Every structure is written in structure tokens, then in C-alpha cells.
Amino acid sequence: MRNEIKHHIGSLFLTIIVLVLFEVLTTAFFPALGIKNYRIPFNILIVLYLGFKVESPFIAIFILVLQYFHSFFSIEGWEMGTIAGIFICVIIGYLKELLHFSSAIITILVTQLFQVFWFLIMSAILYLKLGDFGTIVDKFWRFLPESIFISFCAPVFFVLMDRIWGVASKEGMLGEEV
């Protein structure tokens, strides 16, 4: 197992490139196509991948770096996403033995479940910060279609991330056994 940070720098750099490409896609091209109210949160999908599949004591640092790059494209602060991401990864760490991505459907459902946890954590932080529950309700109706889209992307995206991070997987593309 590669537990030194120098072994993860290349994978983290490639992941940042993937994140920036997806952020440019959602911030530049979606509005050009008339999709203005929705932004696909690929940063959440990357953090979930790190929690599910990457075994490293540096996960918190990786999340911080990813959320920092995500904040270049979003008004969402890097600190709130970092707190939510670390908290989610702690939950995943406790449940890791129960989580097996044996099929694309399971991957989609587990990803959706943890996105709901992410939303609840972010909503709690936002409520503490603003004291207004109305913005959370509005945010939920935008979150729902975005999270469903991300969940359906997860099986293919996890295969891409497996290659970037060099995670040996017993599953093939979309979760089929190899």
C-alpha cells in the first residue's frame, strides 16, 4: 500500500485536471446551452470516490485541495465543502466493510445516499451560517436533479478514477464482475 503522500501527488494532479475540466464544462457550456440554474457537482463525486476507494491517511488533505480548486468555479466556500467531505469520508470509513460496489445499480444507490448525507451536512452548516431555512428548501429542489444525474454518472466515473488512482478493482466497467 502506498501511504506516502509523494505516491499520490500524480493521481491528485490528474484528479484536479479532471475536476477543472468538468467545472469548466458546467460553468461555461451549460449556461450557453440555456441550463442556468443547475451545476453538476462533480467535486462531490470525486470526494465520494476518494472515501469509497482510496485508502490513504491523507484523504482530508486531498479533499481540502479539491474543494479549494472547486471554489474557483463556485460561490460555495471551500471550507464548507471540506468539512462536509471529511465528515462523509469518516462515515464511509465506518461503513466501508458494508459497502460493496457489485453492480452499477448499487453504485448509483450508494452514491445517491451519500449525496443526501452531503446535502444534509451542507444544509446544517448553511443554516448555522445564515439562520434562514428558506434558502435550504430552494437549494434542495436544485440539488435533487443534480444529485440524480451524478449518481447515474458514478459507475463510469469511478472506473475513470480507478485508472487515475491505480485502484485495483474486482469489478469491470459499470460494476460487472471481471
Side-chain angles (χ1 to χ4, degrees), residues 70-89:
H70 168 68
S71 71
F72 294 159
F73 299 93
S74 173
I75 60 170
E76 173 185 298
W78 59 268
E79 68 282 351
M80 289 177 23
T82 302
I83 291 168
I86 291 171
F87 192 71
I88 290 294
C89 285

Side-chain angles (χ1 to χ4, degrees), residues 147-168:
S147 68
I148 291 170
F149 179 80
I150 284 293
S151 294
F152 280 108
C153 292
V156 175
F157 190 79
F158 283 9
V159 170
L160 169 71
M161 295 304 289
D162 281 344
R163 292 186 183 177
I164 290 174
W165 284 88
V167 173

Side-chain angles (χ1 to χ4, degrees), residues 35-141:
I35 306 169
K36 296 179 183 174
N37 293 330
Y38 297 100
R39 291 197 62 245
I40 308 303
F42 286 102
N43 64 313
I44 297 173
L45 192 57
I46 292 172
V47 170
L48 290 177
Y49 173 82
L50 292 175
F52 291 144
K53 302 244 183 147
V54 175
E55 304 247 348
S56 174
F58 305 107
I59 294 289
I61 295 169
F62 300 157
I63 294 170
L64 172 66
V65 170
L66 290 168
Q67 288 303 120
Y68 184 73
F69 277 91
H70 168 68
S71 71
F72 294 159
F73 299 93
S74 173
I75 60 170
E76 173 185 298
W78 59 268
E79 68 282 351
M80 289 177 23
T82 302
I83 291 168
I86 291 171
F87 192 71
I88 290 294
C89 285
V90 168
I91 294 170
I92 290 171
Y94 284 117
L95 299 176
K96 197 168 253 189
E97 295 300 320
L98 300 173
L99 300 172
H100 298 284
F101 299 104
S102 57
S103 70
I105 298 296
I106 296 298
T107 303
I108 291 167
L109 292 175
V110 169
T111 303
Q112 183 64 35
L113 175 69
F114 279 98
Q115 284 186 85
V116 169
F117 286 154
W118 183 288
F119 177 78
L120 292 174
I121 294 166
M122 291 294 285
S123 295
I125 294 171
L126 194 60
Y127 179 72
L128 290 172
K129 198 172 187 178
L130 299 177
D132 182 21
F133 195 71
T135 57
I136 295 170
V137 173
D138 292 337
K139 192 172 172 101
F140 175 76
W141 293 114

